[in-house]
Amino acid sequence: MIARLLSALSAALCLLLAACASPPLRGTGDLGVVIERARGSVQIVEQSARRSLGRVDGLGDLSHASVVFSRDGRYAYVFGRDGGLSQVDVLSQRLVKRVMQAGNSIGGAISSDGRIVAAQNYQPGGVKLFDADTLELLAEVSTGGSKVVGLADLPGNRFAFSLFEAGEIWLIDASQPRAPQVTRYPNIGRQPYDGLASQDGRHYLAGLYGEDGLALLDTWQPEQGVRRILNGYGRGRAALPVYKMPHLRGWSLAGDYAFLPAIGHHQVLIADRRSWQEVARVPVHGQPVFVMAEPGGRRVWVNFAFPHNDTVQVIDVPSRQIVATLKPGRAILHMEFTARGDAVWLSSRDDNRLTVIDTATLNTIAELDAEQPSGIFFTWRAQRMGM
Amino acid sequence: MNWRALAVLGLSLASAAHAAEPPSPARAAALSHMLHQECGACHGLRLTGGLGSPLTAAALADKPADSLTATILDGRPGSAMPPWRPFVSADEARWLVEQLQQGRLP
């Protein structure tokens, strides 16, 4: 009896001690990373509890920073403006490794096998491939100084990206990571500003700043080359100034439709995903920056460039009507849905705040402090092509 | 105040007329915020460049202030630089250029 009690006691004590010595086991699927652009830090957040778990500092200049995740959702690779590439452990909330890989960088992607991290650079241009574990440089693809935009992963350890000055789409096959093979598609249109790969990895789309239209590559039929879609969407109307470049990613394609920002027009373009023909234009509050379909595709959320960046609008897809206009804070820079879309997190740079909105009721269900937050990245991205 | 002090005051007023009228402290703070945040969207938070060219003192040192001011006010057609006339006055644009060229808004 006494012996039993003792052993039970000691077991309880062990548990207690273990709990003190190391945090309880947990997965990363409910976590995310929020960029604090001016402080050069990220916060690790928990989606369901809607709270911050901690902060990792020392990541450099994070204006326009973006993040991709390792396959196991444990490591966040943070691409900073100053060319820094940082590997952050979201579980232990630690900076694991950091390399300065360029003078001026804009984002990156991770390969389909999860072993190569690719960084896209403005200065000196080009794409660099790194070993995802060690951040050792594997190869460098020079673009002759042209700025690289819209880098996206494709199946088979391939990547696609566009060249702002040169007006080209390049496809790289990194199945030999130290000797990537490049296929160039020239003359895709003037000044591509960003690009996206569809969630099935089939289509690559580049948005054009210098022309009304987008360039489309069907990677199932690469021999057919790049074709223009939604050409001349602004025809006959003077373009308005663009105070911030829109961002394109896989969330633009949902169900039967593609939802895209019209450059220089206060409109969201809706195209048929099979024919790529325009089906509608929805007038909105300003120049769209992010045009994001909810994971279910039923509604599309839009935020806007300066000076309209205090507003977020929600478009109902079947009726193509704006069903809500929200004012969630000053300088709303980014939105991130949970994987199944029950909530959306918004960053308000000038209110130093994250706002969590219940997508069913559109009510604010939580607010968190953050220093000039910009991008919010949830770990579901680890499992998604084109993210 | 003697005539000498008056003359000095007059001189400094006259030279100020050539430079930009400095904005009020509150407006200066707003302009600095705009520069790093909104301009920073293209030129980088630390103005070291992005889609837009660097706006560091070194990058702008040899460029005529008038043309830089005009670029801010009216943008550069054919490039991604938009016109800011709706948001800044000519004096404020000139003041921004002065601050940038002297590296005073790091």
Side-chain angles (χ1 to χ4, degrees):
Chain A
M1 175 67 205
I2 300 248
R4 263 229 219 118
L5 205 75
L6 266 179
S7 86
L9 252 174
S10 76
L13 203 70
C14 279
L15 265 177
L16 221 80
L17 280 175
C20 292
S22 60
L25 285 175
R26 69 164 302 156
T28 59
D30 201 23
L31 302 184
V33 163
V34 177
I35 304 288
E36 295 180 303
R37 62 201 298 273
R39 183 183 166 121
S41 54
V42 296
Q43 280 195 35
I44 314 293
V45 295
E46 188 175 30
Q47 297 170 36
S48 301
R50 299 175 202 115
R51 62 176 178 141
S52 172
L53 299 179
R55 177 182 268 136
V56 180
D57 271 301
L59 307 185
D61 177 354
L62 294 188
S63 51
H64 208 291
S66 70
V67 171
V68 297
F69 289 97
S70 62
R71 250 193 189 181
D72 59 5
R74 175 160 183 185
Y75 298 104
Y77 298 93
V78 184
F79 304 91
R81 167 73 84 185
D82 54 8
L85 165 58
S86 308
Q87 184 187 20
V88 172
D89 182 339
V90 299
L91 281 182
S92 70
Q93 299 166 22
R94 224 163 33 87
L95 174 61
V96 180
K97 273 192 200 77
R98 178 168 160 79
V99 294
M100 293 304 290
Q101 57 88 25
N104 195 309
S105 180
I106 192 73
I110 189 160
S111 62
S112 53
D113 71 0
R115 305 191 48 186
I116 309 165
V117 172
Q120 60 180 119
N121 296 321
Y122 273 181
Q123 185 52 247
V127 168
K128 282 187 176 170
L129 305 181
F130 296 89
D131 182 298
D133 291 330
T134 63
L135 296 191
E136 177 205 354
L137 180 66
L138 299 172
E140 185 170 353
V141 176
S142 164
T143 55
S146 213
K147 295 189 191 81
V148 175
V149 299
L151 176 69
D153 59 289
L154 296 173
N157 274 7
R158 289 171 307 156
F159 297 96
F161 57 86
S162 304
L163 303 185
F164 181 75
E165 287 85 358
E168 301 189 357
I169 290 176
W170 287 22
L171 220 68
I172 56 182
D173 181 337
S175 45
Q176 306 282 331
R178 289 182 191 275
Q181 299 298 308
V182 179
T183 311
R184 295 169 60 162
Y185 298 88
N187 303 318
I188 61 142
R190 283 202 307 274
Q191 296 167 322
Y193 64 87
D194 201 1
L196 70 92
S198 55
Q199 288 180 30
D200 55 10
R202 173 171 177 178
H203 293 109
Y204 179 78
L205 260 177
L208 302 176
Y209 174 79
E211 295 177 52
D212 293 338
L214 292 97
L216 173 72
L217 178 67
D218 179 349
T219 68
W220 290 7
Q221 299 173 305
E223 67 289 349
Q224 294 191 354
V226 171
R227 75 179 160 113
R228 185 65 61 83
I229 63 163
L230 302 177
N231 207 14
Y233 58 71
R235 215 181 328 265
R237 286 164 309 135
L240 301 164
V242 176
Y243 290 101
K244 187 176 165 78
M245 288 293 166
H247 289 285
L248 306 175
R249 282 270 147 176
W251 56 66
S252 290
L253 309 176
D256 298 334
Y257 302 109
F259 306 94
L260 299 159
I263 285 277
H265 302 282
H266 294 179
Q267 294 180 331
V268 168
L269 308 171
I270 305 184
D272 182 294
R273 258 192 86 184
R274 269 183 205 88
S275 65
W276 299 100
Q277 296 295 309
E278 179 179 320
V279 291
R281 294 175 196 204
V282 182
V284 289
H285 180 69
Q287 169 69 58
V289 175
F290 286 98
V291 178
M292 290 184 159
E294 287 179 357
R298 169 69 201 253
R299 292 182 301 183
V300 171
W301 292 55
V302 189
N303 75 335
F304 302 100
F306 175 86
H308 300 111
N309 54 9
D310 64 343
T311 301
V312 168
Q313 288 188 309
V314 186
I315 302 170
D316 175 60
V317 170
S319 66
R320 291 158 202 164
Q321 298 295 315
I322 290 170
V323 290
T325 298
L326 312 174
K327 301 274 181 192
R330 291 180 298 154
I332 300 295
L333 294 192
H334 195 220
M335 311 181 278
E336 180 83 333
F337 292 99
T338 57
R340 300 180 191 209
D342 61 304
V344 61
W345 290 45
L346 310 176
S347 52
S348 166
R349 182 194 68 205
D350 291 354
D351 284 329
N352 296 305
R353 186 176 73 207
L354 304 170
T355 299
V356 185
I357 294 179
D358 178 332
T359 52
T361 61
L362 300 185
N363 290 332
T364 296
I365 45 178
E367 289 180 345
L368 288 77
D369 292 334
E371 272 184 48
Q372 296 190 10
S374 56
I376 306 170
F377 303 87
F378 289 160
T379 48
W380 55 256
R381 288 171 179 254
Q383 316 304 336
R384 217 42 102 73
M385 278 195 267
M387 285 294 173
Chain B
M1 199 186 284
N2 62 23
W3 65 271
R4 230 184 242 205
L6 271 179
V8 170
L9 187 71
L11 249 178
S12 64
L13 278 178
S15 62
H18 289 284
E21 189 74 36
S24 70
R27 182 61 185 155
L31 287 170
S32 172
H33 179 81
M34 181 177 90
L35 185 72
H36 289 100
Q37 304 303 333
E38 310 308 340
C39 312
C42 288
H43 292 282
L45 190 64
R46 297 180 189 164
L47 307 175
T48 49
L51 197 63
S53 40
L55 299 181
T56 52
L60 299 183
D62 297 335
K63 300 194 173 158
D66 283 350
S67 94
L68 295 175
T69 306
T71 297
I72 294 177
L73 289 171
D74 299 317
R76 282 219 186 125
S79 87
M81 173 63 186
W84 294 84
R85 208 181 269 284
F87 311 106
V88 297
S89 70
D91 266 350
E92 290 170 345
R94 177 165 292 277
W95 180 80
L96 278 172
V97 167
E98 281 172 23
Q99 305 301 305
L100 286 169
Q101 287 193 311
Q102 293 163 17
R104 276 207 245 136
L105 295 168

